[in-house]
Structures are given as C-alpha cells and as structure tokens.
Amino acid sequence: MTASRLTSLLRQGALALSLAGAATASMAAPTHWSPSWMAATQPLWDESFVLPIGIPARFERQTLRQVARLSIGGTRLRVVISNEGGTRPLHIGAARVARHASGSAVVEGTDRVLRFGSRGDVTLPPGARLVSDPVDLPLPALSEVAVSLYLPEPSQPAGFHFDARQTLYIADGDLSAAARLPAAATSWSTRVYVSGLIVETPQAPVTVVALGDSITDGNGATPGAHTRWPDALAERLAPRGVGVLNAGISGGRLLKDGMGRAALERAGRDVFAQPGVRAMVVLLGTNDIGWPGGPFAPQEPAVRAEAVIQGFRQLIEMAHAHNVRIVGATIPPNERALEGTPLAGHHSPEKDTVRQAINRWIRESGAFDAVVDVDALLRDPARPTRLKAAMDSGDHLHPGDAGYKAMAAAIDLDALLGNDLR
C-alpha cells in the first residue's frame, strides 16, 4: 500500500470517527425548546370602557421595538408573533432580534434577522400566532432581548397587552436594523404582536406560570426594572433551569371577562398549553369582588364568595387533570384603593367581607396543593383592611417594588415544584 493511499484511508477513518462521535453526542444530548417569557394577549376594548387602550389605532410604515427579559437562557431563540384580536391580515416587512442594551439601543454585534419559513417577511391571518425560525443567539438566563418589527402596510393593534411595564418604541420607516432608534421615536407602555420567547435548552422544559390580574401583571412596579413578583420568582428559579411565565392581565377576573378573557377560559391556552408546565400560582379575585357596582362594571350585581370559591375549585380540577400543581394566593387588602381618582370603588365593608371569606377558604380548605398568604404578608397589622405602607405602591391597591419582592420570597419553592423537582 502506498503512503498516499494509507494517508487517505486514515483521513477517511478519522472523518468517519468524527461523524460517528458527533452523531453519538447528538443522540446523547438532545436539545429542547423551552418557553422563557410570555405576554398574555387581550382583546381591544372600545371607547365606552372606563380606560383608554393607550396605544395608536394603527401603524403604517413604522418600526416597533419592544424589550422583554428571559427567565431561562438558551443557545438559540424563537420569537412568537401574534395577530390575535386582529380582524385583518398582519404583514411584517422585516423582523430582527438582538440583545438589549438600554433605552431603544441594542448590543452591537448581536443583531439577527428573524425569518419565518426562511422568509424575511410574512403575513399572518387574523387571529393567528406564528413562531419564527430558530436564531443563533446564545442568551444567558435573565438577559434582555429587543424585538424589532417593520410594518409597511396599515396595521391594527393585535396581540395586545395593556400594561407592559416596559417601553414600546415606535419610529417612522424601516429602522429594524438600527442600533438605536431616533430620539423622535414615540413611546408607549403597552405590547403588541410580540407574545412569546422560546429558547433552546439541553434539558426538557420545566415551566411555572403565574396566573393573575394587575397585581401579577405588575401594576405599581418600576417600569423597565423587572420588579414584578413573577420577575423576582424567575430570579429564584433560574439556577434550577425553571422558566417562569407571567400570565397576569390588568383587570383580569376569574369568573368573567374583564380587560381580558376570564381566567377560567384563558387558562387552557395561557397555562396548560405551555410546554413543560409543572406548576401554577393563582392570584385572582380582586376584580371579581371589586368591579361590580364601581366604575369598571357599574351594572353588575355583587359577587358572592361561594361563586368565586366554586371558580377556584374548577381551576384546581383543571390543573390536576393536566398534572399541574396549583398554588393559591390569598387576596390582599385594598381599603382606599384608587382613592381620589375616577376609578375608586374596589373597596367597601361588604366587599371586604367577601374577600375575607374567600381567603379563609383558600387558607383552610386544603383544596390547593399549597398556599402563599399574600394577605397576611402585605396587610397593615394596625389596619388589616389596608396595605402596609412599606409594601404599597401609593394607590392602595397594588404593591410597590418592595411588596412584589416580598411576595416572591414568600413562595416555598419545594411546595411549588413538588418532590420530583426539588
């Protein structure tokens, strides 16, 4: 055998061994797609509602840039785009994603084109969701990403989320690839179109979902600072590789539609359809009790404690049917809620009696897999129908940053995740 022939065979053998090794490694270490962030979508409401939607009625030849923080990290990323609530097709002319720096700026060298079925532009039918192709962009846990969409045609808001606690930047023209949007860009505290971020992980997804109203959505938290209680919970669970999704909707209710669909209806999509969901934390009831007879629902009769309790029982049955652990949170006090504003009306002695009856059942019934006593944590010992001053955002309805941090710290992670995920 000639030396050249021997060298050729050795090279072929080395290549074969390399390919076999890569295949073995691939089989030994499969990757998974894990949800890392979400924004629960809401229907748009009309001008007769007590609150404006707080967003332009349409976009045209404009770039929208939105920032979100991941809970868990991964080696690649997919972005979920939503035309839910839209009545017309949504055309996206260009889409990009990058690591976020500050303001509307992105980190240099991290900008990537988003493609959909290998195309850089895409049209979504009304009501549809679409997941992007994978993007090679390694991202650590708790990192921020910025998603930029260029909308060349008249586009109505869809995939809408009212209280983002994060700035939506809007600039004229296709600036999706710009490192920073111009100072003339307008800003809003809402979300549109971007409804989810999914990362590639070496382990199968393990997900916790927070289902709630504005107290879960983070009203009262510092905008852009990631100080909602699900954010603080994500910081506690990131070392375990557990994703945390915030399915809070401001004005959300358990039993009826509010500023979003009733939780009993949307739990199927926002909670049980999430990949790897193992547990959920439920903090609802404030608006079921507080809205009737007030400016949000002036014609509605008062809700009975038994009706809310029955709603919780149904949610518990749904969770257990999906093999999901469910942690119930007691309803915090709200005397003087929104006092001095046109939105006051959440509190009355009669409504507080209903709240306390529901809280007794949450604490004592044993129906939930575990309980976090938010009421006991946040209430003023000297006036238990009010929030403790140090925990209050100032509107007497929503906690502030300190209150949200304390709420997340009060959740027993072992009780939340169960024996198999400790």
Side-chain angles (χ1 to χ4, degrees), residues 15-58:
L15 176 60
L17 287 172
S18 175
L19 291 174
T24 301
S26 176
M27 288 187 293
T31 56
H32 305 266
W33 288 103
S34 301
S36 185
W37 172 88
M38 71 170 285
T41 59
Q42 307 165 246
L44 293 168
W45 48 83
D46 61 32
E47 295 179 354
S48 66
F49 190 62
V50 67
L51 286 176
I53 63 170
I55 202 166
R58 79 170 193 175

Side-chain angles (χ1 to χ4, degrees), residues 37-43 59 64 66 79-92 116 122-132 147 149 151 155-161 191-197 261 269-270:
W37 172 88
M38 71 170 285
T41 59
Q42 307 165 246
F59 309 101
L64 280 62
Q66 301 171 73
V79 178
V80 182
I81 305 297
S82 170
N83 194 20
E84 291 163 286
T87 59
R88 291 179 293 184
L90 169 65
H91 180 62
I92 297 174
F116 305 88
V122 68
T123 299
L124 282 73
R129 280 189 181 189
L130 188 64
V131 181
S132 76
V147 180
L149 305 177
L151 307 178
S155 306
Q156 64 182 154
F160 166 70
H161 185 88
R191 289 197 187 277
V192 285
Y193 310 123
V194 180
S195 65
L197 298 171
R261 289 170 289 275
R269 181 200 63 182
D270 289 347

Side-chain angles (χ1 to χ4, degrees), residues 38 40-41 129 209 211 247 249 266-274:
M38 71 170 285
T41 59
R129 280 189 181 189
V209 183
L211 182 67
I249 285 182
R266 68 185 182 92
R269 181 200 63 182
D270 289 347
V271 181
F272 305 126
Q274 298 294 342

Side-chain angles (χ1 to χ4, degrees), residues 219-241:
N219 192 297
T222 301
H226 310 298
T227 53
R228 314 164 188 85
W229 72 259
D231 295 329
L233 180 62
E235 292 165 8
R236 295 184 66 198
L237 287 173
R240 303 191 186 198

Side-chain angles (χ1 to χ4, degrees), residues 236-295:
R236 295 184 66 198
L237 287 173
R240 303 191 186 198
V242 177
V244 176
L245 305 182
N246 188 338
I249 285 182
S250 290
R253 298 197 279 180
L254 174 68
L255 301 177
K256 292 185 177 182
D257 292 352
M259 291 161 61
R261 289 170 289 275
L264 284 173
E265 176 186 346
R266 68 185 182 92
R269 181 200 63 182
D270 289 347
V271 181
F272 305 126
Q274 298 294 342
V277 61
R278 299 290 186 90
M280 61 189 295
V281 183
V282 179
L283 175 49
L284 285 162
T286 293
N287 297 317
D288 293 83
I289 300 166
W291 274 31

Side-chain angles (χ1 to χ4, degrees), residues 66-422:
Q66 301 171 73
V67 176
R69 188 179 78 160
L70 299 173
S71 56
I72 54 173
T75 52
R76 294 194 295 169
L77 176 75
R78 292 178 184 261
V79 178
V80 182
I81 305 297
S82 170
N83 194 20
E84 291 163 286
T87 59
R88 291 179 293 184
L90 169 65
H91 180 62
I92 297 174
R96 303 180 80 95
V97 65
R99 291 195 64 171
H100 177 240
S102 63
S104 69
V106 299
V107 176
E108 184 178 354
T110 67
D111 181 57
R112 304 286 189 273
V113 174
L114 277 180
R115 300 188 185 278
F116 305 88
S118 300
R119 292 179 57 92
D121 64 335
V122 68
T123 299
L124 282 73
R129 280 189 181 189
L130 188 64
V131 181
S132 76
D133 298 347
V135 174
D136 289 325
L137 183 61
L139 294 160
L142 308 176
S143 58
E144 291 184 342
V145 298
V147 180
S148 303
L149 305 177
Y150 174 59
L151 307 178
E153 300 174 2
S155 306
Q156 64 182 154
F160 166 70
H161 185 88
F162 175 70
D163 189 10
R165 297 283 105 185
Q166 196 80 46
T167 303
L168 161 65
Y169 299 94
I170 306 172
D172 293 336
D174 182 2
L175 299 179
S176 56
R180 181 188 296 271
L181 298 184
T186 58
S187 61
W188 305 77
S189 183
T190 47
R191 289 197 187 277
V192 285
Y193 310 123
V194 180
S195 65
L197 298 171
I198 307 169
V199 295
E200 190 176 46
T201 56
Q203 71 283 345
V206 179
T207 307
V208 171
V209 183
L211 182 67
D213 50 37
S214 58
I215 297 174
T216 297
D217 208 14
N219 192 297
T222 301
H226 310 298
T227 53
R228 314 164 188 85
W229 72 259
D231 295 329
L233 180 62
E235 292 165 8
R236 295 184 66 198
L237 287 173
R240 303 191 186 198
V242 177
V244 176
L245 305 182
N246 188 338
I249 285 182
S250 290
R253 298 197 279 180
L254 174 68
L255 301 177
K256 292 185 177 182
D257 292 352
M259 291 161 61
R261 289 170 289 275
L264 284 173
E265 176 186 346
R266 68 185 182 92
R269 181 200 63 182
D270 289 347
V271 181
F272 305 126
Q274 298 294 342
V277 61
R278 299 290 186 90
M280 61 189 295
V281 183
V282 179
L283 175 49
L284 285 162
T286 293
N287 297 317
D288 293 83
I289 300 166
W291 274 31
F296 287 91
Q299 305 305 316
E300 279 190 22
V303 72
R304 296 178 301 109
E306 294 77 14
V308 177
I309 289 169
Q310 179 58 26
F312 280 132
R313 288 191 183 278
Q314 292 178 38
L315 195 59
I316 291 166
E317 291 298 326
M318 292 165 62
H320 290 165
H322 286 86
N323 297 313
V324 172
R325 292 180 61 79
I326 180 167
V327 176
T330 53
I331 307 166
N334 55 35
E335 185 180 356
R336 300 178 60 209
L338 307 174
E339 187 176 67
T341 78
L343 304 178
H346 272 71
H347 178 85
S348 71
E350 295 77 17
K351 290 179 178 180
D352 202 65
T353 297
V354 174
R355 180 185 71 88
Q356 294 194 46
I358 295 168
N359 281 349
R360 280 194 300 274
W361 177 83
I362 292 172
R363 293 185 187 104
E364 299 171 7
S365 68
F368 288 99
D369 294 308
V371 170
V372 55
D373 200 343
V374 172
D375 173 40
L377 177 71
L378 298 181
R379 69 190 179 208
D380 184 343
R383 183 87 181 215
T385 54
R386 296 182 183 179
L387 289 173
K388 192 181 302 181
M391 302 292 188
D392 194 341
S393 68
D395 68 5
H396 312 305
L397 177 61
H398 303 97
D401 292 350
Y404 286 132
K405 183 177 181 179
M407 288 169 63
I411 297 173
D412 183 325
L413 298 189
D414 290 340
L416 172 67
L417 297 173
N419 292 332
D420 58 331
L421 288 174
R422 289 179 184 176

